[in-house]
Each structure stands twice: as structure tokens, then as C-alpha cells.
Amino acid sequence: MNTPRRTSRTALVAASGGLALALTTLPAQAGGLSAQADDTTYVALGDSFSAGTGTRASTDDCYRSPYGYPALIAGAQGLDLDYQACSGATTADVLNHQVGTLSPETDLVTMTIGGNDLGFADVITECALPGWLSNCTGAINGGLSVLRNQLPARYDAVLGAIDAGAPNADVRIGGYPLLFNGEDCNLLTFFSGSEMSRLNAATHELDRLVQQKTTGAGHTFVDPRAAFDNHAVCDDVEWVNGLSWPIVESFHPNRAGNIGYAEVFWPGSGTASTAAVPTGARPSLTARVQAEADAVLAMDLDSRANLRAAARAGISPQRISQLVDRLESGDVTTVTAALEELSELDRQHEAKHGSRRG
């Protein structure tokens, strides 16, 4: 991994999107979807969850992976895909840069949008920091304020623009899966149990809003949460990446997750795509450990400000500096031990100060 050591905290999760191989039973909300014979012109709008970020197959600045669920649906159903979804897109970006491609001839529209309006990447990045540096609660509360006070009107504007641009289309709007199962199995992130619960609760609230707005406009809400159950970060079969290298792949559905998304958007599309989607190559142990070390080094744990924060939390700044030096060693055993020690420090801090964290 060639990321410079001194990077901003937001480099930890450059991934943007909303607030990750056997397919599970479809949720009830998707059960009413039916393939339509005239669905031939397909426009895929939305953010990174619709652009296929997480599949390690970026094709352009917007990502637009051939293994993203829109491409899988188009391939399985023989549709002509206009791939407009773009990593990092907000509702404003959909209005300003994506809906212009719609027309009365558009037969099918899919979309996920809203996570970036809430600051998805910044919230995840903040909560991934060690507890003595994190303001996770403040980050989540900031996103919820936008969700409750601004996003409803933004969603109305997007859905109104879709109706105006594609009045004859079958419109299917997707929610977001839960990212966490309550366990942080990654040595390079420092999510507490309460933080993961709050992040999942925020996803539930976002999905409720998306469902309300979508069905209220007379369109189909596609709920991926049941399909992704038991496939979150740290589950035995992950459909969502944890903190990954390249960083942009982090906390987004992987190739299996996009097959799952395709299945809930259009039943049968995921099943048809399974054999056609190759499994991404897994990096070597050395490469994985070095990527983990570089991600933690990017937190600048030994900066003056962060060492002062450690001291205020009762953690020895000298110990932090020593651990950072070990992370820079390049030796897999040394780096792994340093990562494990940092994780233990975070667990101890959470045990003492969990109720006040953030």
C-alpha cells in the first residue's frame, strides 16, 4: 500500500455512499416485483452503492463497476443500461448531473441515494478512530439532524424529477443494508458495540424515510436488509467490506453483496449473475497486514494533539509512540502484535469510559 503515512483522517474511508455467497430469502417488500416485458431501457441513478463501489473493479471516476448490481440486472434481463450512478453522489448530484438522461422512453429506473447527504464517509471515519480520539456520537447526531430536517425535502425533489423525466418508468428505489453485526473483528478499526448499534439504528431510520418517500410517490421500495442478514462486516460470509485497501472499497457491498442487491431489485437477476461474477483476488497476508498498518498510521496517533488526547484519557503517550514505531517496522509479526495491542488499549478505554465516549 502506497498511501503516505501523514494523510487526513478522511483518507481512512474515502468510500462515500449512504448511511458491504449463497442468496438468502427475499424480503417481503421485494416479493411483489415482477419482470416486465417492456423493461428494455434502464437508467441506473444513485451513489456508490449503485455504482458498485466495493467490488474492486472501478472503470472510471464514478467507479461504475461491471459487477455493480445495475450491470448484473441489465445482463441478466437483457436491458440497455445507461449507468449514471456515481460514487460520492448526493441528492443534489442526482438532480444536477444524472436525471437529465431520463426520457419518456425510459422503462426502468433504479437508485440508492441519501447516505452521502448525511456524511456517510465522515461519520464512519470518525467512529473508526480509537475511543480516546473519536467524537462518534457527535458525527452520528450531525447526520441524523440532516436526515430529519433536510433529507425529506431533498428526496421529494429527486423523486419529482424522476417522475417528470421518466413518466412511464418502473421506478425502484433501494435502501441500505446494515453494515455491522456488533463485532469489530478488524485490528485497524476501533468501533465500540454501542457505536455499531447507533450506526445500524441510523441506517434503519434512513431506510424508513426512503421507504416512506418512495411508496408515497407510488414507486417500489427495495429493502436489502433481510437479504444482507448474517452477511455484515465480520460475519462468516461477508457481503460488505470492512476497512479495506484500496480505501475506497471500504464499507460497501462486495461482489457477493451486489449479487444480493441485484436479487432484491429484480428477483432472479442475482441467481443468474452468480456464475458470471468472478471472486476477487485476496491479497497476501503480508499485503493485508501492511495495509492495516498504513490505515492506522494514517490516523496520526502520535501527533502532538493526539498524544495529548491519549494522556487526557490516561493512556501513556510514550506507549502510543512506541506502538507507532512498531507499525512502521515492516515486519508482519511485529506489526500484527502492535495492532493487537492498540485494539486492547481501545477495549480498555471503552470499558472505563464507554458511556462518555464521543
Side-chain angles (χ1 to χ4, degrees), residues 185-229:
C185 63
N186 298 301
L187 294 177
L188 62 166
T189 56
F190 302 90
F191 296 103
S192 71
S194 60
E195 288 169 346
M196 289 184 282
S197 293
R198 286 207 71 202
L199 289 165
N200 280 348
T203 300
H204 280 307
E205 187 169 343
L206 174 57
D207 282 348
R208 285 195 296 270
L209 174 67
V210 175
Q211 180 175 17
Q212 175 190 2
K213 291 299 182 180
T214 300
T215 58
H219 301 308
T220 300
F221 173 67
V222 177
D223 191 344
R225 287 172 291 181
F228 276 73
D229 191 29

Side-chain angles (χ1 to χ4, degrees), residues 21 54-57 67 72 239 253-260 277-281:
L21 185 60
T55 62
R56 293 180 168 82
Y67 308 120
L72 301 184
W239 285 7
N254 56 27
R255 296 186 186 186
N258 275 272
I259 290 173
V277 178
T279 302

Side-chain angles (χ1 to χ4, degrees), residues 293-353:
D294 288 346
V296 174
L297 288 169
M299 296 177 181
D300 283 347
L301 299 182
D302 61 344
S303 71
R304 289 183 180 180
N306 288 342
L307 288 176
R308 287 195 295 269
R312 287 193 297 270
I315 298 170
S316 166
Q318 182 180 10
R319 187 179 183 187
I320 296 295
S321 296
Q322 291 171 346
L323 288 171
V324 168
D325 288 341
R326 289 162 60 188
L327 290 177
E328 294 178 315
S329 70
D331 176 72
V332 171
T333 301
T334 301
V335 169
T336 300
L339 289 169
E340 290 173 347
E341 192 168 338
L342 279 168
S343 293
E344 180 58 28
L345 280 176
D346 188 60
R347 284 191 291 270
Q348 293 173 3
H349 178 270
E350 171 66 14
K352 292 180 180 180
H353 308 288

Side-chain angles (χ1 to χ4, degrees), residues 83-99:
Y83 213 160
Q84 291 293 313
C86 191
S87 181
T90 62
T91 50
D93 293 317
V94 172
L95 288 170
N96 295 329
H97 305 298
Q98 297 184 21
V99 296

Side-chain angles (χ1 to χ4, degrees), residues 249-272:
E249 311 291 349
S250 304
F251 298 101
H252 282 75
N254 56 27
R255 296 186 186 186
N258 275 272
I259 290 173
Y261 247 128
E263 185 73 6
V264 294
F265 265 99
W266 193 323
S269 297
T271 303

